[in-house]
Amino acid sequence: MLGLNKKDATLLIVVAALTLCAPFILNPFPTGSAMAQFNAGYPDLMQRFIIFGIFAIGFNILFGLTGYLSFGHAAFLGVGSYSAVWIFKLFTYNVIPAITLSVVVAAIFSLFIGFVSLRRSGIYFSILTLAFAQMSFALAYSVLSNPKFNLTNGETGLQVYADDPQWFHRDSLPDLPHLFGLSMRSTYSLELGAWRFDFNAGYYLCAVILMIVFYLAIRIFRSPFGMMLRAVKSNQQRMNYTGLNTRPYTLAAFVISGMYAGLAGGLMAAMDPLAGAERMQWTASGEVVLMTILGGTGTLIGPVLGAGFIKYFENIFSKINDTVLHNWFAFLPDGIEDFVVFIVHPFIGKGWHLTLGLLFMLVVIFLPGGLVEGGQRIGRLLKGKKKAPDSEDPEHHPKETPHVAE
Amino acid sequence: MGILDVKNVNKNFGGLKALSNVNLSVRENTVHAIIGPNGAGKSTLLNCLVGKLIPDTGSVMFDGKSVLGRSPYEINQMGISRVFQTPEIFGDLTVMENMMIPIFARRDGAFRMHAYESVANESGIIERAEQVLEDMNMADKRHMHAAAMSRGDKRRLEIGMCLSQEPRLLLLDEPTAGMARADTNNTIDLLKQIKEERDITIAIIEHDMHVVFSLADRITVLAQGTPLVEDDPQNIKGNPKVREAYLGESA
């Protein structure tokens, strides 16, 4: 199907089904029930899952295939957002030109940064990308927001004001980002008994784009180009002495992943027409590294899982507070209840980072291949019970080497 | 005029004269061995041929064109393939993928952005890679991770990768260093077979005299950065200068 082998086609179909049915899957608990706070099926969060999924898929094309660890990918995300908002301000609220421009600008930006940074490899490459990202952050935060030349609107963030030109805007169109008149905020709510499911236009735009870029990522992974990128990670010396110039290969991977980041930034602005400098900060770059490693570096689905995992924690765990905890542990005797809440307290609410950090450590130590490896192990356990052990042929099915712990 | 001509090459590292006035001519379709005691400059010379080092003075001509100032990948594209002392292969990739990459490099050049095609559809490349694996007696290992193989098999794979490019000149840097006797003999047999079956020029740097005298048509002895003798193998064995360089004056 679509030039994919059976396994990849199945993966694509599973991803498509999951994204399209996400409003159901992420809202398993009836509204108003005690568990409703674990529902993640509201438009804003679902959009985030998808957008950061796209960001991480792109990052993985660079990090997972070539092994070059960029610490500055948030810069491309930020650049994408700013470009999109400028389209909104000057021309139209239609999201197509905005997203297109954000990809193009991110490509140009990453071509420049990649050209310079890829002169070095390993830790020096990481530091160079980090330096560029922090310079971009400083530019956006202060330098490019002086009264004479205000490109980024500094601390406030770039947004659309009523006196902006918007040359192609007509009054019949919604006063928000839209796709040929369909507002990104328009949501259809389906009430089924105690359950409520939200179908949001913006979310579905993101979902369709995710499916397209996920498909493209599969194609890249299975192409000769993808094989060359894995060869870069494995042995650059051999590549050079085999007649291959590694520089354009790594630069191409860098620009492709920069374009994915720009796309994510553009979509972010399309869902909410704002762009702030904090999107470019190093913590944002670090987050995508965590997502990729947590999900499984060098795997196709891993980065999407990692992105979903981290965003779920950020939004759901951070909302649990002491009152909720007291409700949960109300069945315990008073003294013990207070004690349990005291113990759990640092791990919830603002302490969600602590929980995430612990989980991250556990994954990296015990599952170096990320969540995907966890899934594979469970799969193998289930299969191992059915199959006779003699079907294992160590020579023809060698153990997969972990991609991270090398 | 040989296929590879090295003329008056000098290379200094600070005060150390690594190579001084090296002249060497490798004739087409021969096996030319470069031998010499430790520190004779064998590896420095090899690195000057493949673009890793640039000599201070002198010229290195391959097939009438200078290789100086070109990067390793350009020199490979000219038709020189190199086998390393420790096998350099793509350890994370399968044996089959290892074999396909050099064939891609020969067909598509140093860079091609073929990101949307599928490897599985490259039937020409796959056939060729399978054929080379067959020639190397490695067809049964095609799905193995290259890093999981034995040292001898890695060497065999690396030689196969170089041969798949049909180079005009194959450079071997101590191909049997650190190998067990059996592996060494296998490698000798493999190289003999290559020499007989193909129109290929081989330049080999080697320590092991057994390997050198089983393969070489012509031998150059380097000592302290200068070529001592260049002659046929039977004349090298009895040459007193060579004995002296290898064994010291007492011999």
Side-chain angles (χ1 to χ4, degrees):
Chain A
M1 190 192 80
L2 293 167
L4 300 181
N5 66 29
K6 211 177 145 206
K7 211 176 128 200
D8 294 334
T10 317
L11 184 65
L12 185 66
I13 292 168
V14 169
V15 169
L18 286 178
T19 45
L20 294 179
C21 302
F24 293 109
I25 298 164
L26 294 174
N27 261 2
F29 307 111
T31 34
S33 71
M35 297 297 276
Q37 60 187 317
F38 287 107
N39 280 344
Y42 52 95
D44 188 47
L45 182 55
M46 288 196 297
Q47 288 163 3
R48 263 163 200 282
F49 285 155
I50 299 281
I51 290 170
F52 280 92
I54 293 172
F55 189 20
I57 291 172
F59 184 76
N60 187 42
I61 289 176
L62 180 70
F63 179 49
L65 290 179
T66 70
Y68 278 78
L69 175 57
S70 160
F71 257 108
H73 257 53
F76 310 129
L77 185 106
V79 164
S81 285
Y82 280 118
S83 318
V85 176
W86 270 110
I87 290 274
F88 296 150
K89 282 169 84 76
L90 292 178
F91 302 106
T92 166
Y93 257 134
N94 192 327
V95 295
I96 299 288
I99 292 171
T100 313
L101 186 78
S102 53
V103 176
V104 172
V105 173
I108 296 166
F109 214 69
S110 55
L111 187 68
F112 169 71
I113 292 183
F115 184 79
V116 179
S117 307
L118 285 167
R119 305 185 81 81
R120 290 283 170 271
S121 61
I123 188 81
Y124 304 101
F125 167 80
S126 305
I127 297 294
L128 279 171
T129 50
L130 177 62
F132 271 113
Q134 285 303 90
M135 281 193 273
S136 311
F137 169 70
L139 281 176
Y141 196 74
S142 53
V143 181
L144 293 177
S145 75
N146 55 58
K148 275 183 203 153
F149 181 72
N150 193 353
L151 194 65
T152 59
N153 211 18
E155 240 176 292
T156 326
L158 195 64
Q159 44 191 297
V160 184
Y161 296 109
D163 58 347
D164 281 330
Q166 294 198 295
W167 285 308
F168 300 110
H169 190 68
R170 277 175 288 116
D171 288 338
S172 58
L173 290 168
D175 218 9
L176 273 172
H178 62 78
L179 181 71
F180 302 110
L182 173 68
S183 166
M184 290 293 109
R185 296 251 172 100
S186 69
T187 303
Y188 168 74
S189 292
L190 176 71
E191 307 259 358
L192 275 179
W195 283 269
R196 210 187 83 179
F197 304 108
D198 293 328
F199 300 91
N200 171 264
Y203 169 75
Y204 277 100
L205 176 74
C206 294
V208 169
I209 291 178
L210 173 87
M211 281 184 263
I212 296 169
V213 298
F214 186 67
Y215 170 71
L216 291 176
I218 299 180
R219 292 297 299 236
I220 291 173
F221 267 66
R222 301 291 178 242
S223 71
F225 175 72
M227 195 163 88
M228 296 300 176
L229 297 183
R230 284 186 295 131
V232 168
K233 183 178 180 179
S234 184
N235 192 339
Q236 289 210 31
Q237 166 124 306
R238 181 27 90 199
M239 271 194 99
N240 284 323
Y241 286 95
T242 302
L244 293 158
N245 189 358
T246 49
R247 189 74 69 76
Y249 279 106
T250 46
L251 185 59
F254 193 88
V255 172
I256 291 172
S257 73
M259 287 164 78
Y260 271 73
L263 174 67
L267 282 173
M268 226 180 245
M271 298 305 115
D272 189 11
L274 286 174
E278 75 288 342
R279 260 173 217 180
M280 295 180 149
Q281 222 173 352
W282 68 273
T283 46
S285 297
E287 200 179 45
V288 74
V289 180
L290 295 189
M291 287 171 180
T292 310
I293 295 177
L294 188 68
T297 320
T299 62
L300 281 163
I301 191 73
V304 186
L305 293 180
F309 204 77
I310 289 186
K311 284 293 148 190
Y312 186 84
F313 262 82
E314 181 185 300
N315 289 279
I316 304 296
F317 261 68
S318 60
K319 273 193 304 195
I320 303 170
N321 54 29
D322 280 4
T323 329
V324 178
L325 282 185
H326 279 290
N327 278 336
W328 286 357
F329 297 112
F331 64 91
L332 294 171
D334 265 356
I336 301 177
E337 181 193 325
D338 287 343
F339 179 71
V340 170
V341 170
F342 175 75
I343 295 290
V344 178
H345 174 82
F347 295 94
I348 47 120
K350 280 182 181 161
W352 71 273
H353 279 114
L354 196 59
T355 320
L356 185 68
L358 287 173
L359 274 170
F360 186 74
M361 276 161 54
L362 290 176
V363 167
V364 170
I365 293 169
F366 296 106
L367 294 172
L371 297 174
V372 168
E373 192 190 332
Q376 283 168 346
R377 282 197 194 172
I378 293 168
R380 239 176 282 148
L381 274 180
L382 295 177
K383 259 188 204 160
K385 278 175 192 159
K386 285 177 207 155
K387 268 189 191 170
D390 64 355
S391 68
E392 295 261 322
D393 177 353
E395 193 157 271
H396 292 94
H397 303 281
K399 252 172 69 185
E400 266 190 54
T401 42
H403 288 281
V404 184
E406 286 169 344
Chain B
M1 258 302 264
I3 188 168
L4 180 76
D5 283 304
V6 179
K7 288 221 174 76
N8 298 322
V9 162
N10 285 284
K11 179 77 192 173
N12 297 333
F13 295 111
L16 176 77
K17 273 191 165 232
L19 295 175
S20 54
N21 279 324
V22 174
N23 286 287
L24 182 77
S25 181
V26 178
R27 271 175 273 155
E28 203 156 359
N29 295 332
T30 58
V31 176
H32 196 125
I34 298 159
I35 62 171
N38 279 330
K42 302 185 298 287
S43 296
T44 310
L45 177 62
L46 187 88
N47 284 333
C48 289
L49 306 183
V50 293
K52 195 168 185 182
L53 291 175
I54 299 176
D56 299 334
T57 57
S59 72
V60 179
M61 306 289 277
F62 174 69
D63 202 19
K65 280 173 259 161
S66 173
V67 304
L68 299 185
R70 295 182 201 256
S71 31
Y73 76 86
E74 288 170 315
I75 292 174
N76 174 282
Q77 291 283 355
M78 288 168 77
I80 301 181
S81 283
R82 175 188 181 172
V83 172
F84 286 80
Q85 196 169 336
T86 4
E88 291 281 352
I89 50 170
F90 303 112
D92 302 335
L93 274 57
T94 66
V95 170
M96 184 65 182
E97 287 171 324
N98 267 274
M99 199 53 89
M100 288 167 82
I101 286 172
I103 303 173
F104 271 117
R106 189 49 86 241
R107 191 193 72 182
D108 298 337
F111 173 70
R112 195 180 139 215
M113 183 82 191
H114 30 27
Y116 196 71
E117 295 130 61
S118 169
V119 174
N121 294 338
E122 299 277 4
S123 51
I125 302 265
I126 292 172
E127 256 170 49
R128 175 96 183 90
E130 271 172 351
Q131 184 208 324
V132 180
L133 284 176
E134 201 75 54
D135 292 349
M136 293 283 124
N137 282 326
M138 301 187 84
D140 54 327
K141 301 199 168 69
R142 57 194 299 259
H143 295 300
M144 257 180 102
H145 265 220
M149 294 195 302
S150 72
R151 175 81 176 245
D153 279 343
K154 283 181 188 165
R155 168 64 70 219
R156 189 171 271 270
L157 174 64
E158 193 188 22
I159 293 175
M161 287 164 72
C162 289
L163 288 179
S164 72
Q165 300 196 305
E166 296 187 338
R168 305 212 25 224
L169 174 64
L170 180 66
L171 293 176
L172 299 151
D173 186 0
E174 301 202 21
T176 62
M179 265 191 194
R181 219 0 149 200
D183 276 340
T184 304
N185 288 335
N186 281 337
T187 310
I188 293 175
D189 291 344
L190 175 67
L191 292 171
K192 271 186 179 161
Q193 189 195 339
I194 293 165
K195 180 183 157 184
E196 276 157 29
E197 288 174 3
R198 294 166 193 258
D199 291 333
I200 192 170
T201 315
I202 299 176
I204 179 169
I205 285 181
E206 189 51 82
H207 236 72
D208 187 332
M209 289 302 136
H210 173 55
V211 180
V212 172
F213 288 108
S214 354
L215 288 169
D217 302 316
R218 191 90 182 151
I219 296 176
T220 299
V221 184
L222 276 187
Q224 292 171 346
T226 329
L228 218 52
V229 220
E230 184 181 327
D231 213 333
D232 293 338
Q234 63 268 29
N235 300 334
I236 293 285
K237 271 187 191 167
N239 190 315
K241 272 184 173 175
V242 177
R243 296 178 75 95
E244 194 190 309
Y246 260 89
L247 302 168
E249 283 170 43
S250 59

